[in-house]
Amino acid sequence: MLSSVDVSLIDWSRAQFALTAMYHWLFVPLTLGLGAIIGIMETVYYVKRDDFWRRLTQFWMKLFAINFAVGVATGLILEFEFGTNWSNYSWIVGDIFGAPLAIEGIVAFFMEATFIAVMFFGWKKVSPGFHLASTWLTALGATFSAWWILVANSWMQYPVGMEFNPETVRHEMVSFVSIALSPMAIVKFLHTVSSGWMTGAVFVVGVSSWYLLRGRQQQFARASLGVGTAFGLFACFFAMFSGDMSGVTVAEKQPMKLASFEGLYDGSEHAPFTVAGPIQIPNMLTFLATHKMTAFVPGINDILNGGYELEDGTKALSAEQKMAYGREAMASFTAFREADKAGDMAAAAVAKKDLMEKMPYFGYGHIQSREELVPPVPLLFWSFRIMVGLGGLFVLLFVALLFLIIKDRLMKFPLLLKGAVACIPLVYICSQAGWICAEVGRQPWAIQDLLPVSAAVSGIQTASVQITFFLFLLLFTVLLVVEIRIMLQAIRKGPDMQ
Amino acid sequence: MITYAFLQQYWWFLIALLGAILVFLLFVQGANSMIFSLGRTEQERKLIINSTGRKWELTFTTLVTFGGAFFASFPLFYSTSFGGAYWLWVLILLSFVIQAVGYEFQNKLGNLLGTTTFRWFLVINGLFGPLLIGCAVATFFNGSEFLIDKSNLTDSLQPVISRWANAGHGLDALLDPWNLVLGFAVFFLARVLGHLYIINNVEDENLRCRSSVQLIGATVPFLILFVAFLVRTLLKDGYAYDPESGIVSMEPMKYFHNLTEMWQLAVLLLIGLVLALYGIIRTIVSKTYIRGIWPTGAGVILVVLVLLLLAGWNHTAYYPSNTDLQSSLTIENSSSSYFTLSVMSIVSLLVPFVVAYIAYCWHALDRGGLSHKDLEQGNHQY
């Protein structure tokens, strides 16, 4: 038994979850993107009934299968880690968080698991139409899965549609629609899925470029490059649009996260966007965060000190005031539990009323110092720039490729093709940076303002988590290395176009 | 008006049904555990692997959905058991993780660890997956050591609601002989189902004949262990709770009383046992009968369903605490709110539709069984 929940247990639990999530997120984007691209390719085959497109589809399907296996493996661990490592969290928010996970299983996972078997093994067993439908349903299943897990994740960033019940000691759902269709969920879904499409497109374009550079499988590579480029450009613009929406939502709901992205300590009504170092674009942050030319964007110090005017006209509270309210909420909670146990209903009602008034600050009762409320700024600042910078690079890549494909001058620019190959690792760095922004930016909260990670963790020994961390690290790394080797071998071997 | 109590019972039924279907689908693990003993040649082993390879994702997805549904409907179990019996669940998960890659990677160029290693991943999952799941389920009847105090949330040193009361963190479940009895029963049951599935799905006379013979060797220990567990469970003291006060107490022969008070379950149990035995026995005695997986599978689903319903219905604590009886989990004190269970119940109306398309696709892919010719001609194989 633990004498207390120590910092190392929290850090190791976070490290284990981050490790699993980041490995999982290496495979999921490609599943989302490649799934859609395979669907497009097979649709062309279905319409044209040209065997060339069937073989082309089957080659990318083979790479899809290699990638899918590890995604499934890491996903299983991720789902159960909510319970194994965050048991308090699982109870306190399970009433809300569990539902999207279960719906994901019923609606999405079975769709994926069933139709993927038809997609791989059904070419000669079912009709072409049924096979095509299976391929799209597999892609749709993966996308539905992303929807529900992102609904759950968004609720952690912006908790809505619930009420705290001091009798059961948990937050309880009161509006499913508010949770499933919260603005945070919608933009997160659009941005995450479009980034997955982008990953798939960069992958297809990069691999196809490699064939063109090698002078192999020219017809196959050109066709794949065409599909990848068109889809990639669409995905990029979608990601830019949803990214912009995401910025406004984060500014509104998680101002500390936005300030950390920008390394903005002191806010202003004309906040500049820092490109890097001293290079700044005046007024740009205000515009991006609020879509207005003049509006106050609070910095980290403003959020900690409070006193600035919020959108509803009230003054922002300081960190110390929120922490004091949090402790008062906890005291009311304890008073309610004791009065309820003693059968003193009048005292319980008073305590409950006090608790509900201070409930928005309940999580702050666990916070010991204002410094805890600031996520790691340098990590977020650079992750954000890497994500946005690389996203911009991919837009340029797809625009240039599309122009050269239309002009039929692709082979005259081998440097661009080499750049496309180099973009494959970069797109993974981009999506990992995005994930860091989303999740590290939420710290120290498991549930924004309501439950810090320090109060969400399981009561297990740090040594247990350390052992499983290294166990998972070893296992996932071996699987990643094997996957990359198999993928490279399959690409080197190339499609069977005969 | 649908009552809260009804929704709690309904969701326990769905959890029990998912658990029952999961046990049936362990035929994948059962067959995989015998890749090297049942398959004597490379071609035979390939047939076994490719046969289960068309179904493994259903087992896997059922396991994931089982976890998700438990989280959604009985979150206090999710937090207490997964956070407490940490090592037991981690071992189960690890065995399924290595299975997930075992199929796809084994025959690919550049797989680094070699074909045999990935096949052993499948075997390890086939051996330990069912055994550990069986041990975990047995704790529903035999109890575990944990404490729950929701007031701990405001404890500044240790705000942990569910705490495990020993350092074993789930490994303690493997020290209880009766947990091991059910664990091994599920292990042998998975092999029984694996044989029946291979006989039904693989078009190879040698494999079918060998499976038919080996089926006896798996059935005998399964029956002995399962009957021992069932009889002991029905006769032992069980964990009852008072529906008014919620107080948990030990009741002699609680599970037997559950069976008699819910006589419909006794009938289902009997039908399940008969169906399970019918499929096995007819497969053993008849050289031409290959459909044993269906009656036995249906029987297994009924039997496991009844067992899990006995654990949670009729005012029974389904996840008992031997450290503090009052910390035991019941479907009343551990469930989600009325609202959440209602929303989830609406979603559950999709289940028949999901089952229907799974059945259709299964039928479409299995038409004619899996033969050597299919392996030669298929564009995707393991």
Side-chain angles (χ1 to χ4, degrees), chain A residues 107-374:
Chain A
V107 176
F109 286 156
F110 277 112
M111 187 188 280
E112 241 180 317
T114 306
F115 291 104
I116 203 170
V118 181
M119 183 173 112
F120 289 146
F121 304 108
W123 283 101
K124 290 178 181 166
K125 300 226 170 192
V126 299
S127 70
F130 185 24
H131 194 276
L132 176 66
S134 299
T135 303
W136 276 114
L137 285 169
T138 303
L140 198 64
T143 311
F144 276 164
S145 163
W147 168 262
W148 288 110
I149 193 64
L150 289 169
V151 162
N153 180 276
S154 301
W155 186 82
M156 295 165 71
Q157 320 275 348
Y158 175 49
V160 286
M162 82 295 175
E163 268 175 15
F164 184 72
N165 182 343
E167 287 165 36
T168 53
V169 193
R170 66 178 176 192
H171 293 276
E172 293 179 353
M173 193 193 294
V174 293
S175 169
F176 181 69
V177 175
S178 303
I179 294 166
L181 299 175
S182 91
M184 187 70 89
I186 291 169
V187 294
K188 200 173 249 300
F189 169 73
L190 295 177
H191 195 54
T192 309
V193 169
S194 56
S195 79
W197 292 346
M198 207 161 74
T199 304
V202 169
F203 180 80
V204 169
V205 161
V207 172
S208 305
S209 297
W210 184 80
Y211 284 121
L212 289 177
L213 285 166
R214 288 283 174 125
R216 290 176 55 192
Q217 308 283 0
Q218 298 287 300
Q219 193 192 358
F220 156 83
R222 280 174 186 275
S224 299
L225 197 79
V227 174
T229 301
F231 185 68
L233 203 56
F234 167 74
C236 278
F237 284 117
F238 211 76
M240 280 168 60
F241 164 71
S242 56
D244 174 63
M245 285 165 66
S246 182
V248 175
T249 313
V250 167
E252 197 181 318
K253 314 296 183 197
Q254 295 175 295
M256 180 62 89
K257 185 191 264 190
L258 183 86
S260 302
F261 286 169
E262 287 308 309
L264 182 74
Y265 282 87
D266 297 306
S268 77
E269 293 205 329
H270 300 281
F273 178 82
T274 305
V275 177
I279 308 167
Q280 291 187 327
I281 306 172
N283 226 27
M284 188 53 123
L285 179 60
T286 294
F287 180 72
L288 289 176
T290 63
H291 285 183
K292 293 174 188 164
M293 295 312 291
T294 305
F296 185 72
V297 178
I300 293 168
N301 291 334
D302 302 304
I303 297 164
L304 292 177
N305 295 330
Y308 63 92
E309 195 171 311
L310 297 171
E311 272 209 0
D312 61 5
T314 58
K315 294 278 180 197
L317 297 180
S318 69
E320 283 73 17
Q321 283 171 307
K322 289 177 184 173
M323 284 153 63
Y325 282 161
R327 293 203 169 85
E328 285 176 29
M330 283 186 162
S332 301
F333 169 77
T334 306
F336 170 82
R337 299 279 298 175
E338 284 170 359
D340 191 47
K341 199 173 175 185
D344 185 349
M345 290 303 121
V350 171
K352 188 174 179 180
K353 184 169 170 285
D354 290 345
L355 170 63
M356 289 309 164
E357 281 173 10
K358 304 280 165 48
M359 198 58 216
Y361 308 102
F362 191 87
Y364 285 89
H366 291 284
I367 303 294
Q368 302 299 321
S369 69
R370 58 158 46 198
E371 287 74 23
E372 281 180 48
L373 295 168
V374 184

Side-chain angles (χ1 to χ4, degrees), chain B residues 241-302:
Chain B
Y241 71 89
D242 184 306
E244 298 300 319
S245 64
I247 290 173
V248 181
S249 59
M250 297 306 292
E251 181 184 316
M253 298 173 70
K254 170 66 179 160
Y255 302 104
F256 180 74
H257 291 158
N258 283 355
L259 204 56
T260 53
E261 286 162 25
M262 300 183 285
W263 59 267
Q264 299 90 337
L265 294 187
V267 174
L268 284 181
L269 181 67
L270 202 63
I271 294 172
L273 287 171
V274 170
L275 278 172
L277 288 174
Y278 169 78
I280 295 170
I281 293 168
R282 191 166 167 197
T283 305
I284 292 171
V285 296
S286 165
K287 284 194 185 332
T288 54
Y289 183 69
I290 62 168
R291 292 170 186 268
I293 183 70
W294 299 117
T296 302
V300 166
I301 289 174
L302 284 179

Side-chain angles (χ1 to χ4, degrees), chain B residues 356-375:
Chain B
Y357 74 64
I358 291 173
Y360 182 75
C361 291
W362 186 319
H363 175 70
L365 285 181
D366 275 2
R367 219 173 290 152
L370 185 72
S371 65
H372 293 282
K373 202 175 150 198
D374 289 326
L375 288 189

